[in-house]
PDB file of all heavy atoms in Angstrom:
ATOM      1  N   GLU A   1      21.389 -10.502  -0.484  1.00  0.00           N
ATOM      2  CA  GLU A   1      22.781 -10.138  -1.150  1.00  0.00           C
ATOM      3  C   GLU A   1      23.610  -9.201  -0.253  1.00  0.00           C
ATOM      4  O   GLU A   1      24.853  -9.219  -0.322  1.00  0.00           O
ATOM      5  CB  GLU A   1      22.681  -9.687  -2.511  1.00  0.00           C
ATOM      6  CG  GLU A   1      21.865 -10.501  -3.456  1.00  0.00           C
ATOM      7  CD  GLU A   1      22.615 -11.727  -4.007  1.00  0.00           C
ATOM      8  OE1 GLU A   1      23.805 -11.790  -3.674  1.00  0.00           O
ATOM      9  OE2 GLU A   1      22.022 -12.580  -4.631  1.00  0.00           O
ATOM     10  N   HIS A   2      22.988  -8.252   0.486  1.00  0.00           N
ATOM     11  CA  HIS A   2      23.744  -7.184   1.063  1.00  0.00           C
ATOM     12  C   HIS A   2      23.328  -6.986   2.555  1.00  0.00           C
ATOM     13  O   HIS A   2      23.785  -5.997   3.155  1.00  0.00           O
ATOM     14  CB  HIS A   2      23.596  -5.952   0.268  1.00  0.00           C
ATOM     15  CG  HIS A   2      23.877  -6.003  -1.215  1.00  0.00           C
ATOM     16  ND1 HIS A   2      25.215  -6.102  -1.553  1.00  0.00           N
ATOM     17  CD2 HIS A   2      23.100  -6.179  -2.228  1.00  0.00           C
ATOM     18  CE1 HIS A   2      25.178  -6.336  -2.950  1.00  0.00           C
ATOM     19  NE2 HIS A   2      23.862  -6.252  -3.315  1.00  0.00           N
ATOM     20  N   ALA A   3      22.444  -7.809   3.190  1.00  0.00           N
ATOM     21  CA  ALA A   3      22.111  -7.719   4.548  1.00  0.00           C
ATOM     22  C   ALA A   3      21.549  -6.328   4.821  1.00  0.00           C
ATOM     23  O   ALA A   3      21.771  -5.789   5.933  1.00  0.00           O
ATOM     24  CB  ALA A   3      23.351  -8.085   5.441  1.00  0.00           C
ATOM     25  N   MET A   4      20.762  -5.832   3.934  1.00  0.00           N
ATOM     26  CA  MET A   4      20.155  -4.437   4.221  1.00  0.00           C
ATOM     27  C   MET A   4      19.038  -4.607   5.337  1.00  0.00           C
ATOM     28  O   MET A   4      18.304  -5.519   5.425  1.00  0.00           O
ATOM     29  CB  MET A   4      19.539  -3.893   2.886  1.00  0.00           C
ATOM     30  CG  MET A   4      18.927  -2.647   3.103  1.00  0.00           C
ATOM     31  SD  MET A   4      18.030  -1.941   1.621  1.00  0.00           S
ATOM     32  CE  MET A   4      19.605  -1.259   0.784  1.00  0.00           C
ATOM     33  N   ASP A   5      18.996  -3.555   6.150  1.00  0.00           N
ATOM     34  CA  ASP A   5      17.997  -3.408   7.172  1.00  0.00           C
ATOM     35  C   ASP A   5      16.591  -2.939   6.501  1.00  0.00           C
ATOM     36  O   ASP A   5      16.588  -1.863   5.851  1.00  0.00           O
ATOM     37  CB  ASP A   5      18.417  -2.276   8.103  1.00  0.00           C
ATOM     38  CG  ASP A   5      17.225  -1.824   9.062  1.00  0.00           C
ATOM     39  OD1 ASP A   5      16.346  -2.671   9.274  1.00  0.00           O
ATOM     40  OD2 ASP A   5      17.384  -0.819   9.770  1.00  0.00           O
ATOM     41  N   PRO A   6      15.607  -3.758   6.469  1.00  0.00           N
ATOM     42  CA  PRO A   6      14.399  -3.471   5.771  1.00  0.00           C
ATOM     43  C   PRO A   6      13.699  -2.386   6.333  1.00  0.00           C
ATOM     44  O   PRO A   6      12.940  -1.624   5.559  1.00  0.00           O
ATOM     45  CB  PRO A   6      13.595  -4.868   5.874  1.00  0.00           C
ATOM     46  CG  PRO A   6      14.073  -5.559   7.230  1.00  0.00           C
ATOM     47  CD  PRO A   6      15.602  -5.087   7.240  1.00  0.00           C
ATOM     48  N   ASP A   7      13.662  -2.181   7.625  1.00  0.00           N
ATOM     49  CA  ASP A   7      12.727  -1.002   8.111  1.00  0.00           C
ATOM     50  C   ASP A   7      13.204   0.290   7.754  1.00  0.00           C
ATOM     51  O   ASP A   7      12.394   1.067   7.320  1.00  0.00           O
ATOM     52  CB  ASP A   7      12.900  -1.217   9.706  1.00  0.00           C
ATOM     53  CG  ASP A   7      12.306  -2.449  10.324  1.00  0.00           C
ATOM     54  OD1 ASP A   7      11.434  -2.859   9.626  1.00  0.00           O
ATOM     55  OD2 ASP A   7      12.826  -2.813  11.374  1.00  0.00           O
ATOM     56  N   ALA A   8      14.570   0.571   7.718  1.00  0.00           N
ATOM     57  CA  ALA A   8      15.033   1.892   7.243  1.00  0.00           C
ATOM     58  C   ALA A   8      14.616   2.147   5.753  1.00  0.00           C
ATOM     59  O   ALA A   8      14.255   3.130   5.283  1.00  0.00           O
ATOM     60  CB  ALA A   8      16.534   2.058   7.432  1.00  0.00           C
ATOM     61  N   PHE A   9      14.886   1.003   5.023  1.00  0.00           N
ATOM     62  CA  PHE A   9      14.653   1.173   3.486  1.00  0.00           C
ATOM     63  C   PHE A   9      13.078   1.275   3.257  1.00  0.00           C
ATOM     64  O   PHE A   9      12.788   2.210   2.488  1.00  0.00           O
ATOM     65  CB  PHE A   9      14.913  -0.272   2.957  1.00  0.00           C
ATOM     66  CG  PHE A   9      14.670  -0.403   1.444  1.00  0.00           C
ATOM     67  CD1 PHE A   9      15.589   0.131   0.439  1.00  0.00           C
ATOM     68  CD2 PHE A   9      13.481  -0.947   0.995  1.00  0.00           C
ATOM     69  CE1 PHE A   9      15.300   0.011  -0.965  1.00  0.00           C
ATOM     70  CE2 PHE A   9      13.250  -1.025  -0.418  1.00  0.00           C
ATOM     71  CZ  PHE A   9      14.105  -0.591  -1.253  1.00  0.00           C
ATOM     72  N   LEU A  10      12.248   0.616   3.963  1.00  0.00           N
ATOM     73  CA  LEU A  10      10.796   0.861   3.659  1.00  0.00           C
ATOM     74  C   LEU A  10      10.347   2.204   4.160  1.00  0.00           C
ATOM     75  O   LEU A  10       9.519   2.907   3.487  1.00  0.00           O
ATOM     76  CB  LEU A  10       9.974  -0.216   4.415  1.00  0.00           C
ATOM     77  CG  LEU A  10      10.086  -1.642   3.976  1.00  0.00           C
ATOM     78  CD1 LEU A  10       9.428  -2.676   4.914  1.00  0.00           C
ATOM     79  CD2 LEU A  10       9.378  -1.725   2.521  1.00  0.00           C
ATOM     80  N   ALA A  11      10.841   2.741   5.213  1.00  0.00           N
ATOM     81  CA  ALA A  11      10.421   4.073   5.683  1.00  0.00           C
ATOM     82  C   ALA A  11      10.819   5.138   4.742  1.00  0.00           C
ATOM     83  O   ALA A  11      10.036   6.076   4.397  1.00  0.00           O
ATOM     84  CB  ALA A  11      11.115   4.352   7.092  1.00  0.00           C
ATOM     85  N   GLU A  12      11.957   5.005   4.077  1.00  0.00           N
ATOM     86  CA  GLU A  12      12.516   6.024   3.195  1.00  0.00           C
ATOM     87  C   GLU A  12      11.758   5.962   1.807  1.00  0.00           C
ATOM     88  O   GLU A  12      11.282   6.984   1.378  1.00  0.00           O
ATOM     89  CB  GLU A  12      14.024   5.783   2.946  1.00  0.00           C
ATOM     90  CG  GLU A  12      14.597   6.697   1.805  1.00  0.00           C
ATOM     91  CD  GLU A  12      14.452   8.138   2.165  1.00  0.00           C
ATOM     92  OE1 GLU A  12      14.279   8.473   3.228  1.00  0.00           O
ATOM     93  OE2 GLU A  12      14.406   8.932   1.164  1.00  0.00           O
ATOM     94  N   VAL A  13      11.644   4.725   1.344  1.00  0.00           N
ATOM     95  CA  VAL A  13      11.121   4.687  -0.132  1.00  0.00           C
ATOM     96  C   VAL A  13       9.625   4.966  -0.257  1.00  0.00           C
ATOM     97  O   VAL A  13       9.209   5.283  -1.215  1.00  0.00           O
ATOM     98  CB  VAL A  13      11.501   3.294  -0.843  1.00  0.00           C
ATOM     99  CG1 VAL A  13      12.995   3.115  -0.819  1.00  0.00           C
ATOM    100  CG2 VAL A  13      10.753   2.178  -0.127  1.00  0.00           C
ATOM    101  N   HIS A  14       8.936   4.773   0.992  1.00  0.00           N
ATOM    102  CA  HIS A  14       7.466   5.033   0.962  1.00  0.00           C
ATOM    103  C   HIS A  14       7.107   6.399   1.351  1.00  0.00           C
ATOM    104  O   HIS A  14       5.846   6.690   1.594  1.00  0.00           O
ATOM    105  CB  HIS A  14       6.685   3.889   1.737  1.00  0.00           C
ATOM    106  CG  HIS A  14       6.705   2.662   1.045  1.00  0.00           C
ATOM    107  ND1 HIS A  14       6.823   1.402   1.607  1.00  0.00           N
ATOM    108  CD2 HIS A  14       6.596   2.260  -0.348  1.00  0.00           C
ATOM    109  CE1 HIS A  14       6.882   0.352   0.805  1.00  0.00           C
ATOM    110  NE2 HIS A  14       6.646   0.996  -0.436  1.00  0.00           N
ATOM    111  N   ALA A  15       8.097   7.210   1.699  1.00  0.00           N
ATOM    112  CA  ALA A  15       7.764   8.588   2.185  1.00  0.00           C
ATOM    113  C   ALA A  15       7.612   9.427   0.858  1.00  0.00           C
ATOM    114  O   ALA A  15       8.423  10.223   0.412  1.00  0.00           O
ATOM    115  CB  ALA A  15       8.943   9.116   2.952  1.00  0.00           C
ATOM    116  N   ILE A  16       6.373   9.421   0.256  1.00  0.00           N
ATOM    117  CA  ILE A  16       6.222   9.902  -1.002  1.00  0.00           C
ATOM    118  C   ILE A  16       4.989  10.959  -0.895  1.00  0.00           C
ATOM    119  O   ILE A  16       4.223  10.952   0.043  1.00  0.00           O
ATOM    120  CB  ILE A  16       5.736   8.880  -2.057  1.00  0.00           C
ATOM    121  CG1 ILE A  16       4.565   8.092  -1.716  1.00  0.00           C
ATOM    122  CG2 ILE A  16       7.073   8.019  -2.301  1.00  0.00           C
ATOM    123  CD1 ILE A  16       4.142   7.245  -2.862  1.00  0.00           C
ATOM    124  N   ASP A  17       4.840  11.717  -1.897  1.00  0.00           N
ATOM    125  CA  ASP A  17       3.816  12.691  -2.036  1.00  0.00           C
ATOM    126  C   ASP A  17       2.535  12.118  -2.689  1.00  0.00           C
ATOM    127  O   ASP A  17       2.643  11.643  -3.855  1.00  0.00           O
ATOM    128  CB  ASP A  17       4.325  13.976  -2.970  1.00  0.00           C
ATOM    129  CG  ASP A  17       3.238  14.949  -3.113  1.00  0.00           C
ATOM    130  OD1 ASP A  17       2.261  14.927  -2.412  1.00  0.00           O
ATOM    131  OD2 ASP A  17       3.523  15.903  -4.045  1.00  0.00           O
ATOM    132  N   LEU A  18       1.417  12.202  -1.938  1.00  0.00           N
ATOM    133  CA  LEU A  18       0.292  11.522  -2.430  1.00  0.00           C
ATOM    134  C   LEU A  18      -0.742  12.559  -3.012  1.00  0.00           C
ATOM    135  O   LEU A  18      -1.968  12.234  -3.216  1.00  0.00           O
ATOM    136  CB  LEU A  18      -0.414  10.649  -1.374  1.00  0.00           C
ATOM    137  CG  LEU A  18       0.341   9.574  -0.649  1.00  0.00           C
ATOM    138  CD1 LEU A  18      -0.522   8.840   0.364  1.00  0.00           C
ATOM    139  CD2 LEU A  18       0.708   8.530  -1.840  1.00  0.00           C
ATOM    140  N   SER A  19      -0.270  13.789  -3.131  1.00  0.00           N
ATOM    141  CA  SER A  19      -1.205  14.961  -3.560  1.00  0.00           C
ATOM    142  C   SER A  19      -1.840  14.547  -4.918  1.00  0.00           C
ATOM    143  O   SER A  19      -2.925  15.082  -5.183  1.00  0.00           O
ATOM    144  CB  SER A  19      -0.516  16.221  -3.571  1.00  0.00           C
ATOM    145  OG  SER A  19       0.524  16.197  -4.505  1.00  0.00           O
ATOM    146  N   GLU A  20      -1.260  13.701  -5.800  1.00  0.00           N
ATOM    147  CA  GLU A  20      -1.839  13.535  -7.075  1.00  0.00           C
ATOM    148  C   GLU A  20      -2.880  12.441  -7.037  1.00  0.00           C
ATOM    149  O   GLU A  20      -3.689  12.227  -7.915  1.00  0.00           O
ATOM    150  CB  GLU A  20      -0.717  12.999  -8.029  1.00  0.00           C
ATOM    151  CG  GLU A  20      -1.158  12.896  -9.506  1.00  0.00           C
ATOM    152  CD  GLU A  20      -0.007  12.483 -10.404  1.00  0.00           C
ATOM    153  OE1 GLU A  20       1.135  12.433  -9.883  1.00  0.00           O
ATOM    154  OE2 GLU A  20      -0.332  12.077 -11.508  1.00  0.00           O
ATOM    155  N   LEU A  21      -2.993  11.764  -5.874  1.00  0.00           N
ATOM    156  CA  LEU A  21      -4.008  10.651  -5.672  1.00  0.00           C
ATOM    157  C   LEU A  21      -5.389  11.286  -5.135  1.00  0.00           C
ATOM    158  O   LEU A  21      -5.461  11.875  -4.156  1.00  0.00           O
ATOM    159  CB  LEU A  21      -3.565   9.760  -4.727  1.00  0.00           C
ATOM    160  CG  LEU A  21      -4.204   8.405  -4.583  1.00  0.00           C
ATOM    161  CD1 LEU A  21      -4.255   7.627  -5.935  1.00  0.00           C
ATOM    162  CD2 LEU A  21      -3.684   7.464  -3.445  1.00  0.00           C
ATOM    163  N   ASP A  22      -6.393  11.131  -6.006  1.00  0.00           N
ATOM    164  CA  ASP A  22      -7.798  11.581  -5.651  1.00  0.00           C
ATOM    165  C   ASP A  22      -8.561  10.514  -4.927  1.00  0.00           C
ATOM    166  O   ASP A  22      -8.314   9.447  -5.069  1.00  0.00           O
ATOM    167  CB  ASP A  22      -8.460  12.140  -6.926  1.00  0.00           C
ATOM    168  CG  ASP A  22      -7.727  13.242  -7.541  1.00  0.00           C
ATOM    169  OD1 ASP A  22      -7.234  14.142  -6.858  1.00  0.00           O
ATOM    170  OD2 ASP A  22      -7.865  13.380  -8.794  1.00  0.00           O
ATOM    171  N   ALA A  23      -9.549  11.082  -4.196  1.00  0.00           N
ATOM    172  CA  ALA A  23     -10.539  10.174  -3.565  1.00  0.00           C
ATOM    173  C   ALA A  23     -11.167   9.298  -4.743  1.00  0.00           C
ATOM    174  O   ALA A  23     -11.409   9.819  -5.818  1.00  0.00           O
ATOM    175  CB  ALA A  23     -11.542  10.880  -2.821  1.00  0.00           C
ATOM    176  N   ALA A  24     -11.604   8.111  -4.430  1.00  0.00           N
ATOM    177  CA  ALA A  24     -12.299   7.151  -5.419  1.00  0.00           C
ATOM    178  C   ALA A  24     -13.618   6.735  -4.846  1.00  0.00           C
ATOM    179  O   ALA A  24     -13.607   5.518  -4.518  1.00  0.00           O
ATOM    180  CB  ALA A  24     -11.303   6.095  -5.712  1.00  0.00           C
ATOM    181  N   PRO A  25     -14.609   7.427  -4.701  1.00  0.00           N
ATOM    182  CA  PRO A  25     -15.846   7.101  -4.027  1.00  0.00           C
ATOM    183  C   PRO A  25     -16.500   5.933  -4.897  1.00  0.00           C
ATOM    184  O   PRO A  25     -17.107   5.099  -4.238  1.00  0.00           O
ATOM    185  CB  PRO A  25     -16.747   8.332  -3.947  1.00  0.00           C
ATOM    186  CG  PRO A  25     -16.161   9.251  -5.031  1.00  0.00           C
ATOM    187  CD  PRO A  25     -14.663   8.984  -5.060  1.00  0.00           C
ATOM    188  N   ALA A  26     -16.495   6.120  -6.174  1.00  0.00           N
ATOM    189  CA  ALA A  26     -17.179   4.931  -7.006  1.00  0.00           C
ATOM    190  C   ALA A  26     -16.453   3.616  -6.742  1.00  0.00           C
ATOM    191  O   ALA A  26     -17.150   2.665  -6.542  1.00  0.00           O
ATOM    192  CB  ALA A  26     -17.150   5.350  -8.502  1.00  0.00           C
ATOM    193  N   LEU A  27     -15.169   3.750  -6.650  1.00  0.00           N
ATOM    194  CA  LEU A  27     -14.379   2.412  -6.315  1.00  0.00           C
ATOM    195  C   LEU A  27     -14.724   1.928  -4.961  1.00  0.00           C
ATOM    196  O   LEU A  27     -15.057   0.731  -4.800  1.00  0.00           O
ATOM    197  CB  LEU A  27     -13.021   2.712  -6.500  1.00  0.00           C
ATOM    198  CG  LEU A  27     -12.017   1.419  -6.089  1.00  0.00           C
ATOM    199  CD1 LEU A  27     -12.260   0.146  -6.997  1.00  0.00           C
ATOM    200  CD2 LEU A  27     -10.532   1.931  -6.188  1.00  0.00           C
ATOM    201  N   GLY A  28     -14.823   2.851  -4.027  1.00  0.00           N
ATOM    202  CA  GLY A  28     -15.182   2.367  -2.645  1.00  0.00           C
ATOM    203  C   GLY A  28     -16.546   1.837  -2.669  1.00  0.00           C
ATOM    204  O   GLY A  28     -16.758   0.868  -1.914  1.00  0.00           O
ATOM    205  N   GLU A  29     -17.564   2.432  -3.422  1.00  0.00           N
ATOM    206  CA  GLU A  29     -18.874   1.849  -3.299  1.00  0.00           C
ATOM    207  C   GLU A  29     -18.900   0.513  -3.998  1.00  0.00           C
ATOM    208  O   GLU A  29     -19.599  -0.458  -3.500  1.00  0.00           O
ATOM    209  CB  GLU A  29     -19.698   2.826  -4.178  1.00  0.00           C
ATOM    210  CG  GLU A  29     -21.251   2.315  -4.213  1.00  0.00           C
ATOM    211  CD  GLU A  29     -22.120   3.282  -4.864  1.00  0.00           C
ATOM    212  OE1 GLU A  29     -21.614   4.334  -5.411  1.00  0.00           O
ATOM    213  OE2 GLU A  29     -23.273   2.899  -5.184  1.00  0.00           O
ATOM    214  N   ALA A  30     -18.128   0.346  -5.051  1.00  0.00           N
ATOM    215  CA  ALA A  30     -18.043  -0.939  -5.674  1.00  0.00           C
ATOM    216  C   ALA A  30     -17.475  -2.035  -4.790  1.00  0.00           C
ATOM    217  O   ALA A  30     -17.940  -3.261  -4.747  1.00  0.00           O
ATOM    218  CB  ALA A  30     -17.312  -0.896  -7.026  1.00  0.00           C
ATOM    219  N   ILE A  31     -16.377  -1.740  -4.083  1.00  0.00           N
ATOM    220  CA  ILE A  31     -15.721  -2.708  -3.205  1.00  0.00           C
ATOM    221  C   ILE A  31     -16.630  -2.913  -2.090  1.00  0.00           C
ATOM    222  O   ILE A  31     -16.827  -4.083  -1.545  1.00  0.00           O
ATOM    223  CB  ILE A  31     -14.360  -2.071  -2.734  1.00  0.00           C
ATOM    224  CG1 ILE A  31     -13.494  -2.138  -3.887  1.00  0.00           C
ATOM    225  CG2 ILE A  31     -13.797  -2.942  -1.490  1.00  0.00           C
ATOM    226  CD1 ILE A  31     -12.090  -1.455  -3.481  1.00  0.00           C
ATOM    227  N   GLY A  32     -17.210  -1.923  -1.450  1.00  0.00           N
ATOM    228  CA  GLY A  32     -18.127  -2.129  -0.301  1.00  0.00           C
ATOM    229  C   GLY A  32     -19.318  -2.984  -0.558  1.00  0.00           C
ATOM    230  O   GLY A  32     -19.867  -3.743   0.342  1.00  0.00           O
ATOM    231  N   ALA A  33     -19.845  -2.998  -1.860  1.00  0.00           N
ATOM    232  CA  ALA A  33     -20.970  -3.794  -2.264  1.00  0.00           C
ATOM    233  C   ALA A  33     -20.652  -5.344  -2.417  1.00  0.00           C
ATOM    234  O   ALA A  33     -21.555  -6.164  -2.457  1.00  0.00           O
ATOM    235  CB  ALA A  33     -21.612  -3.284  -3.457  1.00  0.00           C
ATOM    236  N   LEU A  34     -19.268  -5.719  -2.393  1.00  0.00           N
ATOM    237  CA  LEU A  34     -18.968  -7.060  -2.586  1.00  0.00           C
ATOM    238  C   LEU A  34     -19.235  -7.820  -1.249  1.00  0.00           C
ATOM    239  O   LEU A  34     -19.083  -7.378  -0.271  1.00  0.00           O
ATOM    240  CB  LEU A  34     -17.519  -7.054  -2.836  1.00  0.00           C
ATOM    241  CG  LEU A  34     -16.971  -6.603  -4.153  1.00  0.00           C
ATOM    242  CD1 LEU A  34     -15.525  -6.619  -4.219  1.00  0.00           C
ATOM    243  CD2 LEU A  34     -17.602  -7.195  -5.363  1.00  0.00           C
ATOM    244  N   PRO A  35     -19.783  -9.058  -1.376  1.00  0.00           N
ATOM    245  CA  PRO A  35     -20.169  -9.950  -0.214  1.00  0.00           C
ATOM    246  C   PRO A  35     -18.845 -10.412   0.501  1.00  0.00           C
ATOM    247  O   PRO A  35     -17.989 -10.873  -0.318  1.00  0.00           O
ATOM    248  CB  PRO A  35     -21.055 -10.999  -0.729  1.00  0.00           C
ATOM    249  CG  PRO A  35     -20.551 -11.057  -2.257  1.00  0.00           C
ATOM    250  CD  PRO A  35     -20.192  -9.776  -2.596  1.00  0.00           C
ATOM    251  N   GLY A  36     -18.813 -10.260   1.723  1.00  0.00           N
ATOM    252  CA  GLY A  36     -17.679 -10.942   2.423  1.00  0.00           C
ATOM    253  C   GLY A  36     -16.515  -9.995   2.729  1.00  0.00           C
ATOM    254  O   GLY A  36     -16.701  -8.763   2.762  1.00  0.00           O
ATOM    255  N   ARG A  37     -15.327 -10.560   3.045  1.00  0.00           N
ATOM    256  CA  ARG A  37     -14.185  -9.860   3.558  1.00  0.00           C
ATOM    257  C   ARG A  37     -13.475  -9.267   2.357  1.00  0.00           C
ATOM    258  O   ARG A  37     -13.274  -9.852   1.300  1.00  0.00           O
ATOM    259  CB  ARG A  37     -13.192 -10.628   4.261  1.00  0.00           C
ATOM    260  CG  ARG A  37     -13.654 -11.065   5.608  1.00  0.00           C
ATOM    261  CD  ARG A  37     -12.549 -11.875   6.332  1.00  0.00           C
ATOM    262  NE  ARG A  37     -12.188 -13.162   5.601  1.00  0.00           N
ATOM    263  CZ  ARG A  37     -11.146 -13.930   5.808  1.00  0.00           C
ATOM    264  NH1 ARG A  37     -10.365 -13.703   6.804  1.00  0.00           N
ATOM    265  NH2 ARG A  37     -11.031 -15.017   5.132  1.00  0.00           N
ATOM    266  N   LYS A  38     -12.885  -8.067   2.594  1.00  0.00           N
ATOM    267  CA  LYS A  38     -11.995  -7.412   1.659  1.00  0.00           C
ATOM    268  C   LYS A  38     -10.596  -7.202   2.335  1.00  0.00           C
ATOM    269  O   LYS A  38     -10.597  -6.665   3.390  1.00  0.00           O
ATOM    270  CB  LYS A  38     -12.435  -6.065   1.000  1.00  0.00           C
ATOM    271  CG  LYS A  38     -13.831  -6.225   0.244  1.00  0.00           C
ATOM    272  CD  LYS A  38     -14.915  -6.127   1.224  1.00  0.00           C
ATOM    273  CE  LYS A  38     -16.350  -6.224   0.448  1.00  0.00           C
ATOM    274  NZ  LYS A  38     -17.454  -5.994   1.316  1.00  0.00           N
ATOM    275  N   LEU A  39      -9.475  -7.659   1.732  1.00  0.00           N
ATOM    276  CA  LEU A  39      -8.275  -7.616   2.215  1.00  0.00           C
ATOM    277  C   LEU A  39      -7.244  -6.886   1.289  1.00  0.00           C
ATOM    278  O   LEU A  39      -7.381  -7.183   0.079  1.00  0.00           O
ATOM    279  CB  LEU A  39      -7.629  -8.893   2.648  1.00  0.00           C
ATOM    280  CG  LEU A  39      -8.472  -9.741   3.627  1.00  0.00           C
ATOM    281  CD1 LEU A  39      -8.036 -11.217   3.630  1.00  0.00           C
ATOM    282  CD2 LEU A  39      -8.333  -9.076   5.080  1.00  0.00           C
ATOM    283  N   VAL A  40      -6.294  -6.234   1.768  1.00  0.00           N
ATOM    284  CA  VAL A  40      -5.237  -5.701   0.882  1.00  0.00           C
ATOM    285  C   VAL A  40      -3.942  -6.623   1.159  1.00  0.00           C
ATOM    286  O   VAL A  40      -3.563  -6.756   2.340  1.00  0.00           O
ATOM    287  CB  VAL A  40      -4.853  -4.189   1.213  1.00  0.00           C
ATOM    288  CG1 VAL A  40      -3.441  -3.883   0.512  1.00  0.00           C
ATOM    289  CG2 VAL A  40      -5.959  -3.314   0.792  1.00  0.00           C
ATOM    290  N   TYR A  41      -3.347  -7.005   0.046  1.00  0.00           N
ATOM    291  CA  TYR A  41      -2.093  -7.805   0.175  1.00  0.00           C
ATOM    292  C   TYR A  41      -1.005  -7.105  -0.741  1.00  0.00           C
ATOM    293  O   TYR A  41      -1.223  -7.112  -1.908  1.00  0.00           O
ATOM    294  CB  TYR A  41      -2.331  -9.276  -0.428  1.00  0.00           C
ATOM    295  CG  TYR A  41      -1.355 -10.263  -0.307  1.00  0.00           C
ATOM    296  CD1 TYR A  41      -0.003  -9.913   0.263  1.00  0.00           C
ATOM    297  CD2 TYR A  41      -1.322 -11.477  -0.797  1.00  0.00           C
ATOM    298  CE1 TYR A  41       1.146 -10.811   0.279  1.00  0.00           C
ATOM    299  CE2 TYR A  41      -0.400 -12.471  -0.685  1.00  0.00           C
ATOM    300  CZ  TYR A  41       0.865 -12.028  -0.175  1.00  0.00           C
ATOM    301  OH  TYR A  41       1.973 -12.980  -0.136  1.00  0.00           O
ATOM    302  N   THR A  42      -0.060  -6.576  -0.031  1.00  0.00           N
ATOM    303  CA  THR A  42       0.895  -5.719  -0.857  1.00  0.00           C
ATOM    304  C   THR A  42       2.349  -6.110  -0.492  1.00  0.00           C
ATOM    305  O   THR A  42       2.592  -6.728   0.729  1.00  0.00           O
ATOM    306  CB  THR A  42       0.739  -4.265  -0.535  1.00  0.00           C
ATOM    307  OG1 THR A  42       1.807  -3.510  -1.110  1.00  0.00           O
ATOM    308  CG2 THR A  42       0.792  -3.999   1.022  1.00  0.00           C
ATOM    309  N   ASN A  43       3.278  -6.034  -1.385  1.00  0.00           N
ATOM    310  CA  ASN A  43       4.573  -6.257  -1.089  1.00  0.00           C
ATOM    311  C   ASN A  43       5.215  -4.963  -0.507  1.00  0.00           C
ATOM    312  O   ASN A  43       6.422  -5.054  -0.275  1.00  0.00           O
ATOM    313  CB  ASN A  43       5.444  -6.570  -2.576  1.00  0.00           C
ATOM    314  CG  ASN A  43       5.346  -8.061  -2.816  1.00  0.00           C
ATOM    315  OD1 ASN A  43       4.998  -8.877  -2.006  1.00  0.00           O
ATOM    316  ND2 ASN A  43       5.648  -8.334  -4.020  1.00  0.00           N
ATOM    317  N   GLY A  44       4.449  -3.961  -0.441  1.00  0.00           N
ATOM    318  CA  GLY A  44       4.965  -2.727   0.216  1.00  0.00           C
ATOM    319  C   GLY A  44       4.558  -2.861   1.833  1.00  0.00           C
ATOM    320  O   GLY A  44       4.503  -3.879   2.367  1.00  0.00           O
ATOM    321  N   SER A  45       4.686  -1.611   2.476  1.00  0.00           N
ATOM    322  CA  SER A  45       4.626  -1.596   3.871  1.00  0.00           C
ATOM    323  C   SER A  45       3.147  -1.269   4.348  1.00  0.00           C
ATOM    324  O   SER A  45       2.393  -0.598   3.444  1.00  0.00           O
ATOM    325  CB  SER A  45       5.500  -0.514   4.477  1.00  0.00           C
ATOM    326  OG  SER A  45       5.105   0.776   4.030  1.00  0.00           O
ATOM    327  N   ARG A  46       2.853  -1.617   5.440  1.00  0.00           N
ATOM    328  CA  ARG A  46       1.435  -1.287   5.970  1.00  0.00           C
ATOM    329  C   ARG A  46       1.208   0.250   6.035  1.00  0.00           C
ATOM    330  O   ARG A  46       0.100   0.741   5.730  1.00  0.00           O
ATOM    331  CB  ARG A  46       1.270  -1.908   7.394  1.00  0.00           C
ATOM    332  CG  ARG A  46      -0.030  -1.487   8.146  1.00  0.00           C
ATOM    333  CD  ARG A  46      -0.170  -2.084   9.508  1.00  0.00           C
ATOM    334  NE  ARG A  46      -0.453  -3.462   9.393  1.00  0.00           N
ATOM    335  CZ  ARG A  46      -1.757  -3.907   9.349  1.00  0.00           C
ATOM    336  NH1 ARG A  46      -2.809  -3.052   9.321  1.00  0.00           N
ATOM    337  NH2 ARG A  46      -1.973  -5.204   9.251  1.00  0.00           N
TER     338      ARG A  46
END
């Protein structure tokens, strides 16, 4: 609708404070135990 430059937008909106996010070792262990590939598919930026 407005021909916005996506790169500048993504860089700005994802520059956030992650201090509230804690490590999740139990989740990591559960994901790691799954057989095969694990991929992240997000509408956000890499």
Side-chain angles (χ1 to χ4, degrees):
E1 302 282 352
H2 306 284
M4 177 179 277
D5 173 17
D7 295 328
F9 177 86
L10 289 171
E12 172 61 24
V13 304
H14 287 141
I16 60 171
D17 178 10
L18 298 178
S19 60
E20 189 178 352
L21 190 61
D22 294 326
L27 175 62
E29 181 180 354
I31 291 173
L34 297 171
R37 288 183 299 173
K38 298 91 181 182
L39 301 166
V40 169
Y41 181 5
T42 176
N43 276 345
S45 68
R46 172 180 286 272

